[in-house]
Amino acid sequence: MRTAIIGAGSLGTIIGALMARGGRPVDLIDTNRDHVEALNRDGARIVGEMDVLAPVRAYLPEQMSGQYDLVFLLNKQTTNPQVLPHLIPFLHEESTVCTLQNGIPEPWVAREVGSGRTIGGAVGFGATWIGPGVSRLTTTADAMRRFAFEIGEIDGVLRPRLSVVQDYLSCVGRTERLDDLMGIRWSKLLMNATFSGMSAALGCTFGAVLDDPRALLCVAFIANETVQAAHAAGHRMAPMQGEDFERFAFASPDRIPAILPMIRKIWSQHRQLRASMLQDLEKGRDTEIDFINGTVCKTGRQHELATPFNDRVVDLVTAAQTARTVPVFSDIQQFDDLLHIHQTPALLRLVSQ
């Protein structure tokens, strides 16, 4: 089976290396010439929570040829207008395109490559691109093995092709086939909107967010807004990382102390991670903020649902993106007015700890 990964950045390098090591050859496609040359010359190296070096094949987009049976999309959604039209000539009628991108990209991908060729999935681990040919796994190796991917069809039907995709992704870690793709997507969106959003808005690691009481409160409010937006759009949250994400919803902020242990349990496995949006800001690039927290905000507006904490994250990241600057952790003060509205004795005790 002829297989490709489009966007061999931090995640694509790791996934490609482990697929190659697992006997599933895959072409790594990336626009970074130095990266492509290093991958071909030296192989794909994983550092950090794992030490792996695997020989791989890598190509620039203009070097692609023939047609692929299976394509994994790991490019940023901001590049879809260029990537998807370029990809179409390299697909045949029965090709499968599995988008593993952030946000909820399936409708866009399906419009471009055809709904019959589109499936999707969520990635349960994080990474940082170090340099040409090298990516750092920032999630624990154990967490990656247990919660690597959840995949599904847009219409929820468990077709045989999902087993083929599962076979490839299982080289990385446990891959579950689920019948509620949009539930998976909204749960992964919650994971990104909370800690990736705060990491980018504050210029810090996930661990720094975990260690700051005010930042954790913001995470809880962002999560609640995300669940409420999903419900308004007609979706329930799918279980992820072994947890029931419906529990992130609350009617009163006094429920937040009961949610914090679940937040710490899930994200403590990702303490080293710096959001890919933060990495983009550090490199002077545009981020996927409109496709992550921005999706929550847009859905909220469509259903007359307030999303003030997600709105604030979007404002902070967009401002940094426009100015080509990187936020600093003291920007947590930008959330003080929102937190003040919800001050209750229980939350005041949390902040003072």
Side-chain angles (χ1 to χ4, degrees):
M1 173 169 287
R2 198 151 184 259
T3 306
I5 290 175
I6 308 295
S10 58
L11 292 175
T13 298
I14 289 175
I15 294 170
L18 295 178
M19 284 182 179
R21 189 179 70 167
R24 303 292 184 273
V26 58
D27 293 348
L28 303 184
I29 314 297
D30 201 80
T31 58
N32 186 325
R33 183 177 296 273
D34 291 342
H35 184 43
V36 167
E37 291 177 352
L39 288 170
N40 286 321
R41 182 184 63 246
D42 306 321
R45 178 172 287 281
I46 307 172
V47 299
E49 294 291 320
M50 186 177 284
D51 185 8
V52 172
L53 177 62
V56 294
R57 297 189 306 257
Y59 302 94
L60 296 167
E62 58 266 30
Q63 296 173 328
M64 292 171 65
S65 63
Q67 292 182 317
Y68 287 97
D69 305 298
L70 173 59
V71 174
F72 295 98
L73 295 181
L74 281 149
N75 59 290
K76 294 183 185 301
Q77 278 210 66
T78 52
T79 65
N80 274 353
Q82 296 77 43
V83 168
L84 297 179
H86 176 81
L87 176 61
I88 291 173
F90 302 100
L91 303 175
H92 55 74
E93 196 64 31
E94 301 300 320
S95 296
T96 297
V97 177
C98 178
T99 171
L100 298 174
Q101 298 165 306
N102 290 325
I104 305 178
E106 285 78 14
W108 187 352
V109 174
R111 283 195 301 269
E112 292 293 327
V113 308
S115 58
R117 292 193 284 208
T118 304
I119 67 172
V123 182
F125 60 96
T128 299
W129 190 75
I130 300 300
V134 185
S135 186
R136 180 182 299 278
L137 177 63
T138 50
T139 295
T140 64
D142 178 65
M144 184 177 74
R145 281 190 292 268
R146 290 187 293 126
F147 306 117
F149 304 99
E150 288 94 2
I151 58 174
E153 297 269 5
I154 294 175
D155 61 6
V157 176
L158 298 178
R159 295 182 175 86
R161 64 181 178 178
L162 281 177
S163 295
V164 177
V165 175
Q166 181 184 42
D167 177 67
Y168 271 77
L169 293 177
S170 292
C171 295
V172 179
R174 182 180 179 185
T175 301
E176 291 194 60
R177 297 179 303 139
L178 302 180
D179 59 6
D180 182 13
L181 178 60
M182 287 302 104
I184 298 167
R185 275 302 188 187
W186 275 97
S187 290
K188 179 58 190 293
L189 187 67
L190 184 150
M191 290 197 73
N192 287 145
T194 51
F195 275 80
S196 292
M198 290 297 287
S199 171
L202 303 179
C204 66
T205 64
F206 285 20
V209 177
L210 279 166
D211 293 339
D212 186 276
R214 287 183 299 173
L216 266 187
L217 290 182
C218 292
V219 164
F221 282 108
I222 292 168
N224 177 58
E225 291 174 5
T226 305
V227 177
Q228 300 301 338
H231 289 174
H235 304 290
R236 288 182 62 82
M237 312 299 284
M240 185 169 277
Q241 303 276 306
E243 299 293 337
D244 178 9
F245 273 36
E246 283 288 317
R247 290 175 55 205
F248 283 114
F250 55 80
S252 166
D254 285 332
R255 284 285 304 153
I256 290 178
I259 296 171
L260 294 183
M262 182 168 62
I263 292 176
R264 293 190 177 98
K265 179 181 177 182
I266 294 171
W267 279 279
S268 63
Q269 305 171 98
H270 310 279
R271 288 186 62 90
Q272 299 180 56
L273 187 57
R274 296 171 67 81
S276 61
M277 290 192 292
L278 175 56
Q279 295 177 53
D280 287 334
L281 291 175
E282 291 169 338
K283 296 170 185 174
R285 299 174 180 169
D286 288 348
T287 73
E288 292 185 289
I289 190 65
D290 291 337
F291 302 102
I292 300 177
N293 299 80
T295 295
V296 180
C297 302
K298 180 180 178 181
T299 304
R301 289 193 296 271
Q302 290 172 342
H303 298 279
E304 299 183 350
L305 176 73
T307 57
F309 283 85
N310 279 279
D311 292 343
R312 186 62 52 83
V313 170
V314 171
D315 289 345
L316 289 171
V317 176
T318 300
Q321 177 176 283
T322 301
R324 296 304 189 207
T325 58
V326 178
V328 294
F329 197 83
S330 60
D331 287 338
I332 186 65
Q333 296 173 354
Q334 299 290 333
F335 292 92
D336 283 352
D337 60 323
L338 298 179
L339 292 172
H340 180 75
I341 296 171
H342 300 285
Q343 282 186 356
T344 67
L347 296 193
L348 286 173
R349 284 195 297 271
L350 284 172
V351 172
S352 62
Q353 289 177 357

